[in-house]
Amino acid sequence: MSMTKSELVVWIVVATALGGVVTLAALSRPASVISMPPAPGTSHEEPAEPAEAAGTAQQRTSGLLPAPAGVLGDLPCVERSGREMKTSELRGKFAVVDFVFTNCGGPCPMMTVAMGRLEESLKSAADVTLVTFSVDPERDTTKVLAEYADRYGADKERWLFLRAEMPVIREIAYDQLKLVKSREDLVIHSQKFALLDREGRVRAYYDPLTDEDWMKLLAADLDVLRREPAR
């Protein structure tokens, strides 16, 4: 059906008016319902927790073993002063123990220097004894041990240098404290120190030549062991 010219004009006017109403309605919508992407750096999401750097190891705060590694028995030995004693006399206090021989050209002097540093750091700790055993009793007489101890300024009351006959030192170093690597060749000894509790049990090992934090660990471990009930 064809429209007259006047009818066509009317429809054009109506269509134009309706288009204007729709446009006005769209422009008057509340801004809160308009979805806009957030600008870079202005996200409203909660910040994520910082990720732990890959490969970062947690700092050690203790060297204590899950269970005692050995126990120092009741064996005869002689202190550098010439006093005869039993290893069981070390019980009742904590003890830090190492094994050296006085003519060592390897790590022994450095171990003794490290023990000297420990002695200085623990000078107010009356409940700790430092103990150095010789693994070369044939050459390390009490006189030689006394001269060696004096060379490093070892306190005669707090730092003991002990000598025992070879079968005894084998049992102490290898079987009990596990600080030598060969029962037959005691010169092949560990450079580690052992921490013994009041019952003579090995509770921790420290390597003073490779671990710069060993004295901090030992001090923290002593605090833990001091809180254990005495038997």
Side-chain angles (χ1 to χ4, degrees), residues 109-181:
M110 292 182 289
M111 293 169 63
T112 305
V113 169
M115 191 72 88
R117 289 172 51 216
L118 181 63
E119 180 189 34
E120 179 65 22
S121 72
L122 296 175
K123 59 185 176 182
S124 61
D127 59 348
V128 183
T129 301
L130 308 183
V131 183
T132 293
F133 283 97
S134 169
V135 294
D136 186 10
E138 183 176 346
R139 286 181 288 188
D140 286 345
T141 63
T142 54
K143 182 177 183 293
V144 171
L145 284 176
E147 292 172 350
Y148 182 83
D150 290 344
R151 194 182 314 155
Y152 291 93
D155 186 289
K156 294 181 180 180
E157 300 298 325
R158 301 188 60 248
W159 186 355
L160 307 180
F161 284 75
L162 301 181
R163 178 189 179 278
E165 296 303 321
M166 188 59 77
V168 173
I169 201 67
R170 279 197 187 102
E171 186 169 348
I172 295 171
Y174 185 83
D175 298 319
Q176 296 181 355
L177 302 189
K178 301 173 175 58
L179 277 175
V180 299
K181 301 175 182 179

Side-chain angles (χ1 to χ4, degrees), residues 36-76:
M36 296 288 290
T42 60
S43 172
H44 295 293
E45 295 180 1
E46 291 295 322
E49 291 293 328
E52 184 177 352
T56 300
Q58 185 178 3
Q59 186 176 8
R60 284 201 307 150
T61 58
S62 174
L64 289 175
L65 300 168
V71 60
L72 184 62
D74 182 30
L75 296 171

